[in-house]
Amino acid sequence: MTLTADPIEILKQHQLKNTRQRVRVLEEIASDSAAISQPELEKKLGKEIDRVTLYRILNTYEDNGILHRIIDLNGTANYAICSSACTAHHHHDEHVHFNCTNCSKIYCLSIKVPPIDIPKGFETQSLNLIAYGVCEKCSKK
């Protein structure tokens, strides 16, 4: 998913304080077509934002329906921009994710996760489908 609105406008829509760090995190996540992990963000942002502040920003964005989390092959959390249908504590990002086994990047695909029949007494809070293979960029090499 890509960022369709100005980061400052997104913060305003979600009633979040506009800080330089919050804007930078959104800009950095939106600058790539793949999801990004916290360690990757730390490298890209350098000394601009300390680890604790970055962790808090990512949690705030996830709690407010701005980002969604995808766990990669190594168990690392990666973050991508949510769809505009997401709200605080109620994500609607039931789309397929693609995890490249060559470059390890995770992509949000425009393919809806098909409905599944959950047994009576169970309640689905989140649904995630990850396809593994080689991405378009890696297959061209």
Side-chain angles (χ1 to χ4, degrees), residues 1-2 61-62 65-68 80-86 91 93:
M1 297 279 168
T2 56
Y61 284 172
E62 189 176 7
I66 297 170
L67 298 179
H68 64 283
I81 303 293
C82 279
S83 76
S84 58
C86 294
H91 290 267
D93 288 299

Side-chain angles (χ1 to χ4, degrees), residues 28-29 36-45 54 58:
E28 200 57 56
I29 292 172
I36 190 167
S37 68
Q38 181 178 349
E40 286 178 278
L41 274 170
E42 281 183 55
K43 283 181 197 170
K44 286 186 172 196
L45 296 169
L54 179 58
L58 293 172

Side-chain angles (χ1 to χ4, degrees), residues 1 94-99 106-112 131:
M1 297 279 168
E94 290 91 12
H95 55 264
V96 176
H97 294 99
F98 188 91
N99 195 169
I106 297 177
Y107 298 90
C108 295
L109 303 180
S110 299
I111 303 168
K112 292 287 256 176

Side-chain angles (χ1 to χ4, degrees), residues 4-106:
T4 57
D6 175 53
I8 295 169
E9 189 58 36
I10 289 172
L11 293 172
K12 197 179 293 184
Q13 288 171 359
H14 291 274
Q15 299 173 344
L16 294 171
K17 187 176 179 183
N18 172 5
T19 66
R20 180 182 52 79
Q21 293 97 337
R22 285 180 174 176
V23 171
R24 280 292 295 128
V25 169
L26 275 178
E27 288 172 342
E28 200 57 56
I29 292 172
S31 71
D32 197 345
S33 60
I36 190 167
S37 68
Q38 181 178 349
E40 286 178 278
L41 274 170
E42 281 183 55
K43 283 181 197 170
K44 286 186 172 196
L45 296 169
K47 299 198 183 297
E48 267 185 85
I49 303 173
D50 65 79
R51 178 177 289 159
V52 173
T53 302
L54 179 58
Y55 179 76
R56 286 182 182 147
I57 290 170
L58 293 172
N59 281 334
T60 297
Y61 284 172
E62 189 176 7
D63 288 347
N64 282 276
I66 297 170
L67 298 179
H68 64 283
R69 183 179 355 171
I70 310 109
I71 306 299
D72 68 15
L73 281 167
N74 301 315
T76 303
N78 289 260
Y79 298 89
I81 303 293
C82 279
S83 76
S84 58
C86 294
T87 59
H89 304 291
H90 198 188
H91 290 267
H92 294 282
D93 288 299
E94 290 91 12
H95 55 264
V96 176
H97 294 99
F98 188 91
N99 195 169
C100 180
T101 55
N102 189 44
C103 68
S104 300
K105 289 192 176 217
I106 297 177

